Amino acid sequence: MKYTALFVLLFVCKDCLFAQPDRWQQKVKYTMVIDMDVNIHRLTGKQKLEYTNNSPDTLHTVFYHLYFNAFQPNSMMDARSRELGKIVLGKDKEGKTVIDWDKRVSDRIQNLKPDEIGYQKILSLKMNGAVQSYKVKETILEVKLSQPVLPRSKVVFDMDFEAQVPLQVRRSGRDNPKTGVKYSMSQWYPKLCEYDYEGWHPTPYIAREFYGIWGDFDVKISIDKNFVLGGTGYLQNASQIGYNYEMPGTKVVRNSGNKLTWHFLAPNVHDFMWAADAQYQHIVRKASKGTLIHVLYNRDQAFLQEQLNALSNTAKAAFNNDFKKYLENVDSQWTKVADAAVVVLPFIEKHFGEYPYQQYSFIQGGDGGMEYPMATLISGSGLGTAFHEWMHSWFQMILATNESLYSWMDEGFTSYAETLVMEYYNQQSGSKPAQGQQGASPRPQSLDSLALVNPHDSAYYRYFNLAMSGFEEPMTTHADHFNTNYAYSIASYSKGQVFMEQLGYITGAAVRDSILLEYYRLWRFKHPNVNDFMRVAEKISNMKLDWYREYWVNTTKLINYGIDSLWEENGKTKIRLKNNGEMPMPVDLQLTFNDGSKELHYIPMYLMFGEKPIEFPSVPRMVHEAWKWTHPTYIIEINRKAGDLSGIEIDPTKRMADIDRRDNKVTL
């Protein structure tokens, strides 16, 4: 009996092991001591990095990112930005020429003075106490190791470095005139590059996305004591710092010097960001399960008075040109961010997975919105941006695909989630009437209510514009290698968002929602790729979906179905549909009759080898034989006279990204 029990236990454990994907991850532990000189905007740092090589490979070289070196005239970021600025995209509605600038960068780096540039200088580097030789190749540090790092072994790198904080150009920097924030410290320290099953990823800092190693951060930052900090990690010495970090009722005892040392710990993250300003206002809220929400924003009244003065007369009139009312509005908008986060967190966790950290911070800074572990830099208090950056915590900070290769899986999935979170918040706050929901997506329970607005419509229309512009490139394109900023942004954000909503059309919305939760459960903290996602989708939906990845991700082929003709034969009606495009899809065909009744005729696509479940139980559904992608037309037959029909429509929910919907609907 003991042997039998042991066999059963081993069998069960084997199943448990196979329930989780097995992909090794490298491990880091950073200990950094930083001293910040705010007079010259420079910092010195000591970094101890424990690096565990969990790979099966022997490593003879390691690479670090030196992001600040991008902010120097004629850097790769500077040159690339200026080259893209020569591309003319066309004319806008007012007839003005549209240039392919990233306006945040444009040609600003070229004009930085020596005391305005950014740099990271390595003063010394040792591995296990032995001095290492290295070469600085702009934003990448290449280290040829004196001894290899063996598989399943750990080494310790000790580094002394110095950095100058650049004027705010892109993401990080100082003295941003638009926000008034002093320091946005992202990509600020020498960061070890990721090594995974594909090898090293020493991606130079050109423009786009990031990829990092999970680990633990222990960071001490010494800075003038009038500065307030926020960022990644849990503050360990709140009673010595204050600024609303301390527990209620705690007496704050600061040291007598001119500086405070802020001590942060951040477990199981792949980056560390912080921001600092002497005029930060700090709001704290407690959300579900005790998660703390921090909001820090610039409340410098002199700066805000300048902001009010710069408004148009019409905008000033909204505040009666009264600074007190303007200040109250600023406070109200940032408070709304904190309160909104409390409202939406339960919805987010229900539909996208549990948030694994104990806090999240929304910090005014940066140049728009940029996500980091446990925190985001946002230049303004708009809820759409705040929700977008927070949802990156799920798709980039926890799942963490290689954004350079799969930017659409981060930005697109995040944009999809942001839209739903915003819809939910508007419903809860009374800004928008509540709709019935099919899974996480606002979807009607019945097709009778087809005054339908797809909440992702704006993403579809942006994709349509790109698809017809001549600038579209496949989503497999490396994020830095798109020919235009325009093609990158729409492919990553909009077409990636359409991918997820359209997946709901293919599998059914409720199934798609289950796919997302299972994807999160299986692949969090494992750096999944597109194939990993598609396999989860296939297993949950019980259909083949490799064709969807092939067409939608790997190509720029278009979807274009239409109603070709209908006629009556022997008292029955035949309807011919035509595929005018290059990408095959399943088809939902809605028939409406003169008596107001409806039928849904579902035509699976042959390559699916499956069919989606019924989404709208109140509407009768007929399932037809699968449409073979080799055949340009398809005929369905119904046992009703043509005169009984009042309307025919392909895809009444408008989730299929049909490039030309003019022939999708016929009114009789």
Side-chain angles (χ1 to χ4, degrees), residues 463 467-468 472 555-560 579-584 657 659:
Y463 158 67
M468 301 306 291
E472 187 183 8
T555 79
T556 58
K557 294 182 178 183
L558 303 177
I559 301 168
N560 186 7
N579 183 1
N580 300 304
E582 305 143 318
M583 175 174 170
I659 200 70

Side-chain angles (χ1 to χ4, degrees), residues 540-653:
I540 297 299
S541 67
N542 196 30
M543 61 175 66
K544 287 292 294 177
L545 294 167
D546 52 347
W547 61 273
Y548 185 43
R549 180 199 65 231
E550 177 196 342
Y551 280 98
W552 191 255
V553 177
N554 298 1
T555 79
T556 58
K557 294 182 178 183
L558 303 177
I559 301 168
N560 186 7
Y561 282 85
I563 300 167
D564 180 74
S565 55
L566 79 157
W567 64 95
E568 188 176 311
E569 284 185 13
N570 303 320
K572 297 182 178 181
T573 300
K574 293 188 177 182
I575 303 169
R576 180 160 54 212
L577 308 179
K578 187 173 183 181
N579 183 1
N580 300 304
E582 305 143 318
M583 175 174 170
M585 286 286 286
V587 173
D588 285 344
L589 184 70
Q590 178 185 269
L591 306 183
T592 304
F593 298 97
N594 294 326
D595 61 5
S597 63
K598 300 180 190 298
E599 288 180 358
L600 195 62
H601 291 258
Y602 173 58
I603 309 169
M605 201 274 285
Y606 178 86
L607 295 175
M608 292 163 54
F609 294 98
E611 62 187 58
K612 70 177 171 181
I614 293 173
E615 291 190 279
F616 309 106
S618 63
V619 179
R621 187 182 81 158
M622 292 72 179
V623 179
H624 295 263
E625 183 181 349
W627 188 337
K628 298 172 183 175
W629 67 269
T630 52
H631 291 50
T633 61
Y634 188 99
I635 298 173
I636 71 165
E637 180 180 280
I638 62 171
N639 294 319
R640 299 279 294 266
K641 294 182 178 180
D644 293 339
L645 283 166
S646 63
I648 308 170
E649 184 172 8
I650 294 173
D651 179 30
T653 59

Side-chain angles (χ1 to χ4, degrees), residues 413-668:
F413 291 12
T414 294
S415 296
Y416 166 83
E418 169 209 339
T419 298
L420 299 183
V421 173
M422 196 71 195
E423 284 276 311
Y424 175 80
Y425 176 77
N426 287 338
Q427 293 164 11
Q428 296 302 304
S429 64
S431 302
K432 187 172 183 178
Q435 302 179 48
Q437 290 191 7
Q438 186 82 5
S441 302
R443 285 280 157 224
Q445 297 291 346
S446 168
L447 286 173
D448 293 334
S449 58
L450 278 183
L452 245 193
V453 176
N454 183 336
H456 307 279
D457 261 352
S458 59
Y460 279 73
Y461 289 125
R462 285 191 292 268
Y463 158 67
F464 292 153
N465 288 335
L466 173 64
M468 301 306 291
S469 71
F471 289 103
E472 187 183 8
E473 299 173 63
M475 294 200 295
T476 51
T477 307
H478 186 289
D480 281 328
H481 300 169
F482 278 86
N483 292 327
T484 62
N485 285 311
Y486 172 58
Y488 159 78
S489 63
I490 304 301
S492 299
Y493 290 78
S494 301
K495 192 176 181 183
Q497 181 175 354
V498 172
F499 170 94
M500 188 58 69
E501 178 66 355
Q502 188 167 247
L503 179 64
Y505 170 75
I506 295 168
T507 67
V511 173
R512 184 269 326 280
D513 298 342
S514 296
I515 290 167
L516 276 172
L517 284 171
E518 183 68 356
Y519 173 56
Y520 179 85
R521 185 186 74 82
L522 289 176
W523 284 102
R524 56 186 176 175
F525 303 112
K526 291 185 176 70
H527 292 311
N529 58 43
V530 61
N531 296 322
D532 300 322
F533 177 82
M534 297 310 299
R535 285 298 294 136
V536 174
E538 288 186 331
K539 290 175 182 178
I540 297 299
S541 67
N542 196 30
M543 61 175 66
K544 287 292 294 177
L545 294 167
D546 52 347
W547 61 273
Y548 185 43
R549 180 199 65 231
E550 177 196 342
Y551 280 98
W552 191 255
V553 177
N554 298 1
T555 79
T556 58
K557 294 182 178 183
L558 303 177
I559 301 168
N560 186 7
Y561 282 85
I563 300 167
D564 180 74
S565 55
L566 79 157
W567 64 95
E568 188 176 311
E569 284 185 13
N570 303 320
K572 297 182 178 181
T573 300
K574 293 188 177 182
I575 303 169
R576 180 160 54 212
L577 308 179
K578 187 173 183 181
N579 183 1
N580 300 304
E582 305 143 318
M583 175 174 170
M585 286 286 286
V587 173
D588 285 344
L589 184 70
Q590 178 185 269
L591 306 183
T592 304
F593 298 97
N594 294 326
D595 61 5
S597 63
K598 300 180 190 298
E599 288 180 358
L600 195 62
H601 291 258
Y602 173 58
I603 309 169
M605 201 274 285
Y606 178 86
L607 295 175
M608 292 163 54
F609 294 98
E611 62 187 58
K612 70 177 171 181
I614 293 173
E615 291 190 279
F616 309 106
S618 63
V619 179
R621 187 182 81 158
M622 292 72 179
V623 179
H624 295 263
E625 183 181 349
W627 188 337
K628 298 172 183 175
W629 67 269
T630 52
H631 291 50
T633 61
Y634 188 99
I635 298 173
I636 71 165
E637 180 180 280
I638 62 171
N639 294 319
R640 299 279 294 266
K641 294 182 178 180
D644 293 339
L645 283 166
S646 63
I648 308 170
E649 184 172 8
I650 294 173
D651 179 30
T653 59
K654 297 178 176 60
R655 290 176 288 172
M656 182 167 67
D658 192 310
I659 200 70
D660 184 1
R661 291 173 172 165
R662 291 174 297 179
D663 56 359
N664 284 20
K665 187 174 182 178
V666 173
T667 302
L668 302 172

Side-chain angles (χ1 to χ4, degrees), residues 135-359:
K135 292 182 180 179
V136 175
K137 298 183 176 180
E138 196 175 287
T139 59
I140 296 297
L141 177 73
E142 182 181 21
V143 185
K144 297 292 187 181
L145 301 176
S146 58
Q147 294 291 329
V149 182
L150 299 177
R152 314 295 193 289
S153 68
K154 182 170 74 173
V155 296
V156 177
F157 294 99
D158 287 291
M159 176 189 290
D160 291 345
F161 68 97
E162 175 188 302
Q164 178 169 286
V165 185
L167 279 182
Q168 181 81 48
V169 175
R170 186 70 182 99
R171 298 187 176 98
S172 57
R174 62 178 173 89
D175 298 319
N176 187 341
K178 294 182 179 180
T179 64
V181 171
K182 192 65 178 179
Y183 294 111
S184 297
M185 300 297 289
S186 55
Q187 290 90 56
W188 61 276
Y189 62 95
K191 177 183 176 183
L192 198 67
C193 298
E194 177 67 283
Y195 183 86
D196 65 11
Y197 64 98
E198 295 179 311
W200 282 106
H201 294 274
T203 306
Y205 191 16
I206 307 297
R208 307 285 184 226
E209 311 301 345
F210 307 98
Y211 191 38
I213 313 167
W214 275 290
D216 303 327
F217 286 75
D218 184 332
V219 183
K220 293 179 179 177
I221 302 166
S222 294
I223 192 169
D224 287 32
K225 66 192 321 177
N226 60 326
F227 277 80
V228 182
L229 273 61
T232 304
Y234 308 118
L235 184 62
Q236 299 300 293
N237 57 338
S239 62
Q240 299 168 16
I241 297 294
Y243 294 121
N244 208 26
Y245 280 101
E246 72 277 11
M247 294 289 291
T250 300
K251 182 179 180 180
V252 177
V253 180
R254 299 187 178 121
N255 63 39
S256 58
N258 294 324
K259 289 187 174 183
L260 289 178
T261 298
W262 297 64
H263 184 196
F264 294 97
L265 293 181
N268 206 24
V269 295
H270 58 72
D271 203 355
F272 187 98
M273 175 274 289
W274 59 283
D277 194 90
Q279 299 296 328
Y280 268 152
Q281 183 80 3
H282 181 197
I283 301 170
V284 183
R285 294 287 185 272
K286 183 175 286 189
S288 59
K289 302 178 184 177
T291 304
L292 292 180
I293 304 297
H294 298 274
V295 172
L296 293 95
Y297 65 98
N298 181 17
R299 204 176 185 272
D300 182 347
Q301 295 193 29
F303 171 78
L304 293 173
Q305 180 68 66
E306 293 176 1
Q307 296 291 97
L308 175 61
N309 295 341
L311 295 177
S312 66
N313 290 331
T314 302
K316 289 178 184 176
F319 308 104
N320 295 327
N321 206 14
D322 183 337
F323 177 70
K324 183 178 179 181
K325 290 184 177 180
Y326 180 74
L327 183 60
E328 288 174 352
N329 181 67
V330 170
D331 290 336
S332 173
Q333 292 303 309
W334 285 104
T335 300
K336 187 177 180 181
V337 171
D339 293 338
V342 173
V343 171
V344 300
L345 181 56
F347 175 87
I348 294 172
E349 292 196 309
K350 178 180 178 182
H351 295 293
F352 300 102
E354 185 176 7
Y355 182 66
Y357 306 108
Q358 299 168 24
Q359 71 179 43

